[in-house]
Amino acid sequence: MASNALERVVTDWVAKKIGYNTDAAGLLTSGGSLANLTALLTARKAQATEVWEEGHNEQLAVLVSEEAHYCIDRAARIMGMGSKGIIKVPVNERYQIRTDLLEEYLQKAKTEGLKVIAVIGCAGSTATGSYDDLNALADFCKKHHLWLHVDGAHGGAVVFSEKYRHLAKGIERADSVVIDFHKMLMTPALNTALIFKNGEDSYRTFAQKAQYLWDSQQTPEWYHSGKRAFECTKFMMSVKVYSILKTYGEEVFAENVNRLYDLGKAFAKMIRERPDFELAVEPEANIVNFRYKKVPESELNEYNSAIRQSLLESGKFYIVQTMLQGKRYLRTSIMNPLTTEQDLAALLDEIVQLATQG
Ligand SMILES: Cc1ncc(COP(=O)(O)O)c(C=O)c1O
């Protein structure tokens, strides 16, 4: 019971930070992937009410950026939408969903007999940390009566920062928002907030009888966490967030986000200043993609993959790689509060060193 009470305190506080009014409510759940699935189930309940009881009579679909995290694709497939039901909208040169194409994609879906139930915005995207234009998505959803879900698993944390919250402007217009505490908000994994603009929506997601736990399936009882979460038994996630809040105050979240995002910018500047390195895109967040360009273009993909492999084998740094428009980039997501500019300079030096050694 203590866990549920703390969860209420924590999620009400997150809802306020998002910019929602007191109608909002939410829950903590085991990770961004599960939270995104849960949000899409709620969207389905709101838009295609019969599916929960009767199964699918219509081919449902969602519109999402081609840069969205793979768990959105997976969630849509789990929900029986199939390949046709996950409509990936191309991105612009900053890797944000092309909002100018939404009308066209929606009309095309309708012509093909699909019923679009939701649009999912990225705040920010996994590969580059790009933030979609959430106000444009909200306008579009309002016009077409669609559910707007924002996957802020990574970058939704900017709602705690005065300096960077502008990146997610419009987030308060979303019907549901996901924010991972275990990414930039310093709790151990997994720990995710799923918040609904209209808290009552969350009680409809899994409406079913569980007589041994609760009496009525319809009434909103926030203390019965199983009514709204996929999990029956849950970890006591709330105590981790609550302890940080109580011990350090909410400023610690803003400080961490500011520090990591500032570091992303400093790292990008460092890369720009070194002629043999190339930045993929100016970072909005703490995710920086770059490549080392010491060989002809046609060899660069393999060359950078090999550099990464050597880097991992050296045991000094751990970074990942990603493909952007057919080009392989080294990808850093600066997450550790103890990482410094010196560490990032040392990373570039190490890459030069490993490449020189062949
Ligand atoms: C944008 C985004 N959404 C969802 C996820 C999945 O979150 P989790 O690992 O908490 O399931 C990630 C993970 O990196 C992500 O970057």
Side-chain angles (χ1 to χ4, degrees):
M1 295 308 281
S3 178
N4 286 336
L6 290 182
E7 185 162 323
R8 170 97 196 256
V9 173
V10 166
T11 50
D12 282 356
W13 165 72
V14 178
K16 208 163 134 194
K17 288 290 167 186
I18 289 171
Y20 284 150
N21 65 26
T22 49
D23 291 339
L27 55 131
L28 297 179
T29 192
S30 305
S33 303
L34 185 60
N36 281 321
L37 171 63
T38 308
L40 293 186
L41 285 168
T42 314
R44 187 177 71 181
K45 201 61 181 259
Q47 297 269 322
T49 41
E50 73 294 344
V51 179
W52 189 251
E53 292 295 334
E54 295 167 22
H56 288 273
N57 296 318
E58 294 172 293
Q59 166 80 57
L60 304 181
V62 291
L63 284 170
V64 62
S65 147
E66 61 180 346
E67 285 294 319
H69 189 263
Y70 73 84
C71 70
I72 301 288
D73 182 291
R74 193 175 278 185
R77 289 173 197 278
I78 289 170
M79 290 167 66
M81 295 188 204
S83 298
K84 275 183 85 177
I86 167 105
I87 303 171
K88 293 189 180 160
V89 181
V91 292
N92 62 21
E93 66 295 341
R94 288 168 58 205
Y95 298 93
Q96 301 162 310
I97 192 168
R98 287 214 18 216
T99 51
D100 58 315
L101 294 179
L102 289 173
E103 288 285 349
E104 181 190 327
Y105 275 66
L106 179 64
Q107 291 320 319
K108 189 164 167 283
K110 283 186 181 168
T111 314
E112 289 171 3
L114 299 169
K115 174 173 172 159
V116 175
I117 57 166
V119 177
I120 297 122
C122 296
S125 65
T126 304
T128 57
S130 304
Y131 285 79
D132 287 341
D133 180 344
L134 301 181
N135 269 320
L137 295 183
D139 290 342
F140 180 78
C141 287
K142 188 169 174 208
K143 180 172 168 204
H144 295 284
H145 307 289
L146 298 173
W147 184 278
L148 175 59
H149 172 63
V150 171
D151 178 7
H154 182 90
V158 294
V159 300
F160 302 109
S161 153
E162 282 310 313
K163 187 170 179 187
Y164 288 108
R165 77 163 289 135
H166 66 91
L167 291 171
K169 57 179 178 299
I171 194 168
E172 72 287 352
R173 296 175 65 194
D175 295 293
S176 50
V177 173
V178 161
I179 302 176
D180 274 356
F181 274 94
H182 58 271
K183 289 200 164 69
M184 273 185 289
L185 303 170
M186 296 174 293
T187 67
L190 294 159
N191 206 323
T192 300
L194 166 57
I195 312 290
F196 295 90
K197 180 163 69 186
N198 176 5
E200 286 185 12
D201 285 331
S202 66
Y203 292 94
R204 301 197 185 104
T205 322
F206 299 112
Q208 66 184 148
K209 290 198 179 81
Q211 295 293 0
Y212 82 104
L213 288 177
W214 53 80
D215 297 332
S216 153
Q217 53 171 314
Q218 304 300 345
T219 50
E221 294 157 344
W222 58 266
Y223 42 87
H224 278 314
S225 66
K227 276 186 135 178
R228 298 185 295 160
F230 181 80
E231 303 100 316
C232 180
T233 306
K234 274 201 317 194
F235 282 115
M236 198 173 180
M237 293 175 258
S238 53
V239 78
K240 295 172 185 165
V241 183
Y242 190 79
S243 307
I244 296 177
L245 261 176
K246 272 289 173 194
T247 312
Y248 300 104
E250 62 180 55
E251 310 75 51
V252 75
F253 294 116
E255 268 169 40
N256 199 42
V257 171
N258 292 348
R259 199 184 129 62
L260 297 176
Y261 276 40
D262 289 349
L263 260 185
K265 292 199 186 322
F267 189 38
K269 180 164 176 282
M270 247 180 245
I271 291 166
R272 267 189 271 104
E273 284 168 357
R274 297 198 187 199
D276 293 330
F277 284 91
E278 181 195 71
L279 198 59
V281 59
E282 199 55 45
E284 289 183 281
N286 54 341
I287 299 175
V288 184
N289 291 284
F290 61 99
R291 55 185 188 159
Y292 191 51
K293 291 191 64 172
K294 267 295 204 187
V295 295
E297 181 69 43
S298 60
E299 296 166 30
L300 276 177
N301 284 1
E302 272 190 36
Y303 184 67
N304 278 278
S305 276
I307 289 175
R308 174 182 175 260
Q309 190 55 36
S310 309
L311 203 56
L312 298 198
E313 284 167 18
S314 80
K316 293 187 192 154
F317 294 91
Y318 178 79
I319 63 170
V320 295
Q321 55 186 353
T322 194
M323 289 295 272
L324 296 170
Q325 293 172 345
K327 296 176 185 167
R328 165 112 30 233
Y329 287 96
L330 304 172
R331 176 182 175 281
T332 49
S333 185
I334 308 165
M335 300 298 268
N336 191 321
L338 303 180
T339 297
T340 61
E341 285 193 35
Q342 288 71 31
D343 295 322
L344 297 169
L347 168 63
L348 297 182
D349 291 341
E350 182 71 12
I351 288 172
V352 174
Q353 172 97 12
L354 289 171
T356 315
Q357 287 165 1

